[in-house]
Amino acid sequence: MAGRQARKNTPQKASGPALWASVGARVRDRERKRDAVIMTAARAFRERGYHNTSLDDIASELNVTKPTVYHYVENKEQLLFECFRAGLKLIMDGIEEQRESTTTGRERLAAVIARYAEAITSDFGWCMVQAENQDLSPTMSRKVKSLKSEIDQGIRALIRAGVSDGSIRECDEKMTAFALAGALNWIAHWYRSDDKLGAAEIALRFVDLFELGLQPRK
């Protein structure tokens, strides 16, 4: 009787759907914590600079131990790269969204410019602009340049599409893409989160400037 009662009270191990659900929950929890590490690092790098921020500083702000931070990234350089990549993902997602759009090339380019401004004014803006200037290892430097090239090519493709459908005048797509990216990247140097203008309004003003140039309005 006692043996049967003991077996009856023994906790049952999760199996089937319940097991998968528990695994999924752990994965989501790990991703959430990793995102918190990356976001905290991005803010610290923006406020104090890359070289003036240590993993100890980041661990302290998260109220965790330094080994906990190493659980999510290999070193500080990788952490900077993850901050850089998180910001660029906002732009890449915007470019991807426009691939299936049936609007004009100029309208699609304007939508991507809006996403670009959103990314630059986010907590990741400083890392997006400054990552390449932080004495990265050759391997990491190549990764950064590769991702930047993807953005550049995406913008050039939209400019070509606009020229093709007549919504953008004939222009040097390379120089136009460089001018757009350069102007947008510079936002990170002067923008502050308490500015009166938000990302959406900044994007509209940039689009207006590039569409109309400096010509007098009738």
Side-chain angles (χ1 to χ4, degrees):
M1 181 71 177
R4 287 197 300 272
Q5 185 66 31
R7 286 193 296 273
K8 183 178 179 181
N9 293 334
T10 300
Q12 296 297 311
K13 292 183 178 180
S15 61
L19 177 60
W20 282 112
S22 65
V23 171
R26 288 197 298 272
V27 170
R28 288 191 297 273
D29 185 58
R30 187 182 190 284
E31 290 176 347
R32 179 181 60 80
K33 290 178 179 178
R34 185 174 186 275
D35 288 344
V37 170
I38 294 170
M39 178 64 76
T40 299
R43 290 171 177 167
F45 293 151
R46 182 191 64 194
E47 293 170 5
R48 297 193 292 269
Y50 176 69
H51 293 294
N52 292 327
T53 302
S54 67
L55 290 184
D56 286 310
D57 294 329
I58 294 167
S60 178
E61 291 191 30
L62 287 165
N63 197 29
V64 299
T65 63
K66 187 175 180 179
T68 299
V69 175
Y70 278 118
H71 182 64
Y72 299 100
V73 292
E74 293 181 3
N75 50 48
K76 192 171 78 167
E77 183 182 70
Q78 187 198 353
L79 189 51
L80 175 64
F81 177 73
E82 294 302 333
C83 295
F84 169 81
R85 183 160 60 177
L88 258 65
K89 186 177 185 302
L90 296 173
I91 307 172
M92 291 170 138
D93 287 347
I95 292 174
E96 191 60 34
E97 287 170 6
Q98 297 306 314
R99 293 191 192 281
E100 303 302 322
S101 174
T102 57
T103 57
T104 66
R106 188 176 68 181
E107 290 172 310
R108 284 181 281 156
L109 179 61
V112 169
I113 288 174
R115 293 296 290 271
Y116 206 128
E118 177 187 347
I120 286 292
T121 54
S122 74
D123 289 312
F124 302 110
W126 186 92
C127 297
M128 292 168 62
V129 174
Q130 296 291 343
E132 201 170 9
N133 302 324
Q134 304 307 313
D135 300 323
L136 301 178
S137 66
T139 299
M140 194 63 75
S141 181
R142 284 193 295 271
K143 288 182 179 180
V144 167
K145 290 178 180 177
S146 176
L147 288 180
K148 290 180 68 174
S149 178
E150 287 185 38
I151 300 295
D152 175 60
Q153 292 302 316
I155 291 175
R156 292 194 202 188
L158 290 171
I159 293 170
R160 285 196 301 272
V163 172
S164 178
D165 65 28
S167 61
I168 295 177
R169 68 174 178 80
E170 290 285 344
C171 62
D172 183 323
E173 67 179 57
K174 178 180 178 180
M175 293 303 298
T176 303
F178 282 176
L180 280 168
L184 288 163
N185 286 339
W186 197 255
I187 293 173
H189 293 277
W190 55 261
Y191 178 78
R192 297 295 178 269
S193 58
D194 58 352
D195 283 353
K196 292 181 180 179
L197 293 180
E201 182 61 27
I202 290 172
L204 285 174
R205 296 194 181 193
F206 266 76
V207 170
D208 183 65
L209 176 62
F210 276 100
E211 285 189 330
L212 300 177
L214 299 177
Q215 65 182 9
R217 300 187 183 184
K218 295 180 182 179

